Amino acid sequence: MDQSIGFGLHLPIIRFNGEADHSREQILSFAKKAEYLDYDYLGVNDHIVFRTTSWLDALTTLSSVAANTNKIKVGTSILNIVARNPVVCAKALTGIDILSSGRLFAGVGPGSYKGDYDVCGIAFEERWKRFDEALQILNLLWEQEKTKEVDYNGRYYKFKKVVVAPGPFQKPHPPILIGSWGSDIGLRRVAKYGDGWTASAYNITPDKFKAKWKTLLSYRKDMAKDTTRFGNSVVSMFGYIDNNKEKIRKIIRDVLSPVLGRPAEELETLLLFGSIDECIKKIKAFLEAGVNSIHFWPINDYIEQIEIFSKEIIYSFR
């Protein structure tokens, strides 16, 4: 196969209704197994609150995983740098990059859940304008010279003579991967401020991805920005691999559909639900559309599912 694709996993930091509580052993055993199976990435998603789910804190979890792994890349997919504050996020992400010896990727976005904003006292309607400023700040702080004082005078964020030290382990900084569902203004934002694009699996198809990726690269060229090292990923690729159609449909209908607020039939089509052959076919479609990496998110039987995915699916692409 001429093209290649990377594979990542989402750490199981969500607990759907009726599941057992979070535990250190469960998270770290998943992370160590992912590294043993030679996955390329481990990511965490971020919500302060989210409907009726139990959601382990993203940055705390990522710090623990970074300290207990050695080679797998770790990162956010995505982190809400608006609700959490961009300066605080720059500081926290820098710490993880240093403590992981430069294995961090920083997937960022403004999120799409109003509840996160309500509990943080920030107007949901302001999120996109705040996100533009937050991206400017993240780049500014990470590109500053060591111990240099930085000023920023935006509409929502203002500070003078700020020094955020130390700087990241990676130089000039960890890759900033910007989340977007693919709107034109969103793709222009990714092109302007990002080192890559993070697309949501349940909001895009291979055909749409191909068209939007072409558009995004054209925006990068128009802005005289590099395209050769500019990458992409499809994240939140929920799934469950099994030949039993009824079992899969029950999982989607009873577990995933109520949480995402999406029709079960749509999720079954878009995501990695089905037999091994069906899932390979779906991944090949994304590969042919230009996807660089896919981050799988099993919604049950976590260790068993990532073993199946590694041995039966990843193997067919390498």
Side-chain angles (χ1 to χ4, degrees), residues 135-144 150-152 159:
L135 285 170
Q136 293 167 15
I137 290 168
L138 184 58
N139 277 282
L140 178 66
L141 295 178
W142 273 355
E143 291 172 359
Q144 69 173 328
V150 175
D151 298 343
Y152 187 81
F159 51 81

Side-chain angles (χ1 to χ4, degrees), residues 37-58:
L37 293 172
D38 286 329
Y39 280 89
D40 301 299
Y41 311 97
L42 268 176
V44 288
N45 288 57
D46 181 37
H47 279 292
I48 310 300
V49 294
F50 191 72
R51 299 189 175 121
T52 60
T53 61
S54 171
W55 201 293
L56 201 59
D57 179 70

